[in-house]
Amino acid sequence: MKLPRRHFLHLVAGAAALPALSRTARAQAYPTRPIRLVIPFPPGGAYDAVGRPWADKMKPLLGTVVVENIGGGGGSLGAAAVARARPDGYTILLGGTLPHVNEALLKSRPLYDPVKDLDPIAGVAANVLCIAVHPSVPVRTLKELIAYAKANPGKLSYGHAGVGSIQHLTGELFKSLAGTPGIVPVPYKGTGPLIIDLIGGQIPMGTPGVTGQVLELHRAGRLRVLAVTSPARLVAAPELPTAAELGFPSMTVRGSIGLLAPAGTPAGIIEQIAQAARTAIAEPSYQRMLIDAGIEPTLDSNPEKFRRSLAADVALWTPVVKALGLKID
């Protein structure tokens, strides 16, 4: 049967549109089951303080988000698990500066390529670190800590969230700037275990990320924060001096925290998650919760902005890592 030319062209155009319509339908259907959010650190740190409330905020926007903590390797093990996952939007990572710097700069045999194997979705927040001591350490200021460390070489040790973590790099940077090479680094499998030992006195000093828990422990006298690494004093804790104002401007350290997906995740799904994140972060209650925890919300982020932010973080730490000669494998 011979079809009229107009009818034939209409059928051809319709057939060509089917794959596109199918892709659109799949994107519109997403999500149809719970989403897995991997936090690549044990419970208790800044990533947990950001990720778990974010997952709760997603209930009306994306449905159920199940949080899974996969600690180890300074964030590398959890990030690598997401990099290897199916790129369908059902496994995403709460990653950022720490895992990116770790894999990009500190490993000769990285578990994954942070640029090629993960697609940025959106930044959520930025956190800063602090220098904190157990109350038994006889110092109340950063200047006194430096004097004490110099007078007692080898007696002080500091805990951090894992070899190659931003906490580790910041601790080593502080030692270099303060001229206190005798302070011994002690790695932990995340901030949570470090905090437990720091308030218990098993470790005299630490460089944890600032969270609401850390601020509460400081105010309760269970640990003593001597300085924070933010560019200005924290809104949530204006009584705490910055390292910069105490004479260490090079210790202005902020870590990006945000969402990433396995490379190849459909752009429509990436944008859907990014939009949900922007909606959640725009809520004043969520912003206030982050600020009260000493964490800065990242407003109006998108995949490209987050990509540029992570690239800038790697560029920032590259000369520090080279100067310190750090490698973790």
Side-chain angles (χ1 to χ4, degrees):
M1 184 177 67
K2 204 165 186 178
L3 292 172
R5 177 176 173 81
R6 180 181 297 176
H7 191 189
F8 175 76
L9 292 176
H10 180 73
L11 290 176
V12 170
L18 282 175
L21 288 172
S22 177
R23 287 194 296 271
T24 302
R26 286 199 299 270
Q28 288 174 343
Y30 172 87
T32 59
R33 63 179 191 270
I35 297 168
R36 174 187 178 218
L37 175 67
V38 173
I39 297 179
F41 302 99
Y47 279 68
D48 238 36
V50 172
R52 290 184 180 274
W54 182 87
D56 291 339
K57 290 288 184 184
M58 289 302 105
K59 185 69 175 178
L61 299 170
L62 292 175
T64 301
V65 175
V66 179
V67 175
E68 181 179 355
N69 293 86
I70 303 178
S76 294
L77 295 185
V82 175
R84 292 191 294 265
R86 181 177 296 176
D88 56 8
Y90 289 99
T91 301
I92 57 178
L93 172 72
L94 189 70
T97 301
L98 199 163
H100 256 60
V101 169
N102 206 331
E103 294 303 304
L105 300 179
L106 291 161
K107 290 187 174 180
S108 54
R109 296 184 301 277
L111 299 180
Y112 65 98
D113 186 316
V115 175
K116 294 180 180 179
D117 296 338
L118 291 170
D119 288 340
I121 299 173
V124 176
N127 76 303
V128 300
L129 309 182
C130 67
I131 296 174
V133 296
H134 185 266
S136 62
V137 180
V139 303
R140 290 195 167 272
T141 67
L142 200 61
K143 182 178 179 180
E144 290 177 357
L145 174 66
I146 294 169
Y148 181 79
K150 289 180 177 179
N152 298 274
K155 186 175 181 178
L156 268 183
S157 56
Y158 79 93
H160 57 77
V163 176
S165 67
I166 299 300
Q167 294 183 18
H168 182 204
L169 294 180
T170 300
E172 293 303 298
L173 179 61
F174 170 70
K175 287 168 53 179
S176 175
L177 295 172
T180 55
I183 302 178
V184 180
V186 178
Y188 282 79
K189 293 182 178 179
T191 301
L194 161 62
I195 295 296
I196 291 172
D197 274 9
L198 184 57
I199 63 177
Q202 282 78 30
I203 190 86
M205 175 182 165
T207 54
V210 175
T211 63
Q213 179 194 30
V214 167
L215 296 178
E216 288 174 9
L217 291 169
H218 167 76
R219 287 163 181 153
R222 300 185 68 186
L223 57 78
R224 186 177 299 137
V225 175
L226 304 181
V228 294
T229 65
S230 50
R233 293 201 178 201
L234 297 173
V235 174
E239 73 277 11
L240 297 177
T242 67
E245 70 185 83
L246 296 177
F248 297 94
S250 297
M251 282 193 62
T252 299
V253 176
R254 297 167 73 251
S256 299
I257 299 176
L259 304 164
L260 301 104
T265 300
I269 291 177
I270 293 280
E271 181 51 38
Q272 191 172 340
I273 300 171
Q275 181 56 54
R278 288 192 292 269
T279 299
I281 296 165
E283 290 187 17
S285 60
Y286 186 46
Q287 290 183 32
R288 175 48 55 184
M289 183 276 299
L290 291 174
I291 291 169
D292 287 346
I295 298 169
E296 305 168 22
T298 301
L299 305 177
D300 196 30
S301 185
N302 60 41
E304 186 54 35
K305 286 182 180 179
F306 192 35
R307 187 187 305 277
R308 290 198 302 265
S309 173
L310 292 173
D313 289 336
V314 172
L316 172 70
W317 284 108
T318 297
V320 176
V321 169
K322 287 182 177 179
L324 295 174
L326 287 177
K327 282 290 179 185
I328 60 176
D329 61 1

